[in-house]
Amino acid sequence: MFSLHGQKALVVGIANEHSIAWGCAHALKAQGADLAITWLNAKAEPFVRPLAEELEAEILLPLDVSQPGQLEAVFAEIASRWGRLDTLVHSIAFAPRADLHGRVIDCSAEGFGLAMDISVHSFLRMIRLAEPLMTDGGCCLSVSFFGASRVVRHYNMMGPVKAALESAMRYAAADLGEKGIRVHALSPGPLATRAASGIDHFDEMLAEAAERAPTHQLASIEDVGAMAAFLASAEARNLTGSVHEIDGGFSITA
Ligand code: NAD
């Protein structure tokens, strides 16, 4: 029904073939988009480069959003190679282990600040750099979780961080709507990825999601990718500022 043919997309957050960002990159490419893909650092490169090459990514660069200048370098390369950008996928998060595993009220100011910077403010920085390149409008996506709006056991400090991400998404959508730049959060149910392995008792979260979701199916990275590709398309031009739950209906249950 929709095509992304000729579109240019930046996907940030692939660590391996289980990453949500990989599901998004795959779906965007399948619908015809050209890709720019980043990896965190030299340790991650050997895992990410073959995946980027499999999707014939035209731009491959390192990106640690906490390193000054790296994000700017990625956008400078996109500007010089493509001169424009249509879709941005921000699929990254970080929280220091000790802070993540404790009670929210015990988390350190440093840990909370770092989690907010990498998981939230980096999305705003990316959108700001994308804005001048999204001359025909565009779509900026981040990835949230149900723990943003409800207390999910063991999700701890990432709850308030994702709540901030969703609010930042809405304000960015309001800032940029008149330019045709749309901003959304994808909110998948729990998925067994590397980031998820940092959450205590994650297996219990998976089991509960499968049991309670009306479909009794866990979300897959393909499900998330399909939603990302649709939101990136021209057919979704009048949608912005939403949190899209991709969870087999888990979030409607009590
Ligand atoms: P993942 O481990 O595959 O991806 C996390 C990515 O964040 C990695 O590629 C890592 O390199 C990147 N990252 C961390 N710090 C970074 C930094 N300083 N600079 C640049 N990149 C950095 O795990 P995932 O589950 O695919 O996570 C992607 C997003 O999805 C995260 O925002 C996560 O909170 C969110 N999410 C995950 C689930 C789940 O159950 N797995 C559910 C809902 C939302």
Side-chain angles (χ1 to χ4, degrees):
M1 180 196 157
F2 61 88
S3 166
L4 304 180
H5 206 77
Q7 279 208 21
K8 308 293 186 191
L10 167 63
V11 178
V12 178
I14 300 177
N16 54 42
E17 72 277 17
H18 304 296
S19 295
I20 291 168
W22 172 242
C24 293
H26 216 274
L28 293 168
K29 178 70 183 179
Q31 294 309 116
D34 299 321
L35 300 177
I37 284 176
T38 65
W39 51 77
L40 178 62
N41 52 27
K43 212 170 128 193
E45 181 179 349
F47 299 97
V48 183
R49 185 179 275 280
L51 297 175
E53 286 172 354
E54 187 182 324
L55 297 186
E56 297 167 339
E58 295 181 355
I59 297 173
L60 298 100
L61 282 172
L63 174 59
D64 179 337
V65 296
S66 66
Q67 295 302 309
Q70 287 198 0
L71 190 54
E72 289 73 12
V74 169
F75 279 87
E77 180 67 9
I78 290 172
S80 84
R81 286 281 296 277
W82 290 342
R84 55 184 267 255
L85 186 68
D86 301 287
T87 300
L88 160 68
V89 177
H90 169 283
S91 183
I92 70 175
F94 176 79
R97 230 181 155 72
D99 291 302
L100 179 61
H101 288 178
R103 301 185 306 171
V104 171
I105 58 171
D106 294 328
C107 77
S108 68
E110 297 74 24
F112 191 71
L114 188 60
M116 287 288 281
D117 184 61
I118 292 176
S119 316
V120 182
H121 193 259
S122 67
F123 185 42
L124 297 176
R125 297 202 287 280
M126 284 184 203
I127 296 172
R128 193 166 59 234
L129 289 163
E131 180 186 3
L133 295 171
M134 291 185 161
T135 45
D136 295 332
C139 177
C140 301
L141 303 171
S142 189
V143 189
S144 187
F145 183 61
F146 184 59
S149 54
R150 295 286 185 279
V151 174
V152 174
R153 219 150 27 107
H154 309 301
Y155 201 57
N156 301 343
M157 70 174 287
M158 282 311 288
V161 170
K162 292 299 191 190
L165 177 68
E166 293 184 4
S167 181
M169 174 279 292
R170 283 187 285 272
Y171 278 85
D175 284 342
L176 295 172
E178 65 188 7
K179 294 188 171 178
I181 300 174
R182 300 165 293 105
V183 190
H184 295 277
L186 305 165
S187 183
L191 279 147
T193 63
R194 210 177 62 193
S197 67
I199 294 168
D200 270 342
H201 304 279
F202 190 72
D203 287 350
E204 289 170 21
M205 216 186 266
L206 284 173
E208 193 194 344
E211 190 199 319
R212 264 182 52 191
T215 65
H216 299 297
Q217 302 286 323
L218 288 172
S220 68
I221 62 170
E222 289 78 15
D223 296 336
V224 185
M227 179 62 94
F230 172 67
L231 291 172
S233 73
E235 282 72 11
R237 71 177 72 81
N238 204 25
L239 307 184
T240 193
S242 293
V243 177
H244 299 269
E245 267 116 11
I246 305 155
D247 62 358
F250 177 89
S251 51
I252 64 166
T253 66

